[in-house]
Amino acid sequence: MSKTVYYTHLASPWGPLFLAGTEKGICSCQFLHGKDISSLIAQLRQKPDHVVLENALPLATAIDALEQYFSGATKRLSHALDLQGTPFQLMVWSALRQIPGGTVATYGEIAGKIGKPRAARAVGQSCGSNKVVLFVPCHRVVAAQGKLGGFGGGLKVKEALLRHEGFFGFQRSAVSDQK
């Protein structure tokens, strides 16, 4: 049975976004800075059972949630997701969704949260593999010294997102205390 993947692109305060989703939820939300949209569409078509169509209508609730986030009406995007990853990546991404807006957590804190205290580097790699930025807020993860670290949308966008959410200093998330 085929799986329909809908996609569109939209403007954000930090640059254009590519958004895609299935009946299950959002499977891609990526900043387009320097990325070719055709390569993102080709990634969606890699699975032989995927039918990929440009149509924003099935993504309307996700677009509305993003617009509320852009306007500052919400700091949390809790839309349904259709994530594809390893069991470790899925654990990391689940932990990232628990970091409240306006706070940050370190890679090491996330590693501890998922029961893998020595896996900070692997947490970083999982953040880098995140294809649903904003919905899985990898921009809220920083290095142990409070440095921003990497971000697929670029460090200026990461800093802008943190400021947008009200983060103005190194305020640790309560995620490390939630076991």
Side-chain angles (χ1 to χ4, degrees):
M1 178 155 63
S2 66
K3 183 179 197 177
T4 304
V5 182
Y6 299 99
Y7 75 90
T8 191
H9 51 88
L10 62 148
S12 84
W14 310 282
L17 280 175
F18 176 81
L19 183 68
T22 66
E23 64 185 30
K24 186 176 175 187
I26 298 303
C27 62
S28 181
C29 180
Q30 300 180 57
F31 286 100
L32 287 173
H33 302 292
K35 293 180 187 169
D36 180 12
I37 196 167
S38 61
S39 68
L40 296 174
I41 295 166
Q43 288 175 10
L44 296 174
R45 289 192 172 122
Q46 284 181 338
K47 295 197 176 182
D49 63 335
H50 281 186
V51 175
V52 181
L53 302 172
E54 183 173 13
N55 187 348
L57 190 59
L59 303 169
T61 58
I63 292 169
D64 182 55
L66 284 165
E67 288 173 349
Q68 288 183 34
Y69 176 79
F70 300 158
S71 73
T74 186
K75 293 180 184 180
R76 183 171 185 82
L77 292 167
S78 59
H79 196 277
L81 301 177
D82 186 356
L83 300 176
Q84 303 297 313
T86 67
F88 182 84
Q89 288 171 329
L90 294 172
M91 283 191 312
V92 170
W93 298 336
S94 177
L96 299 184
R97 293 189 83 190
Q98 296 174 32
I99 304 170
T103 63
V104 295
T106 66
Y107 298 105
E109 288 172 333
I110 297 299
K113 167 82 173 144
I114 64 170
K116 308 280 186 187
R118 296 179 186 251
R121 187 170 294 201
V123 167
Q125 291 170 336
S126 294
C127 288
S129 299
N130 177 18
K131 293 191 181 343
V132 287
V133 299
L134 303 180
F135 291 96
V136 175
C138 56
H139 62 278
R140 296 182 188 151
V141 185
V142 298
Q145 303 81 16
K147 294 185 181 181
L148 290 182
F151 182 65
L155 291 182
K156 287 183 181 181
V157 172
K158 182 173 185 167
E159 183 175 1
L161 290 171
L162 291 171
R163 289 192 185 284
H164 174 69
E165 294 177 355
F167 179 78
F168 296 105
F170 197 80
Q171 175 186 355
R172 294 242 171 156
S173 161
V175 76
S176 61
D177 301 325
Q178 300 169 0
K179 296 240 175 180

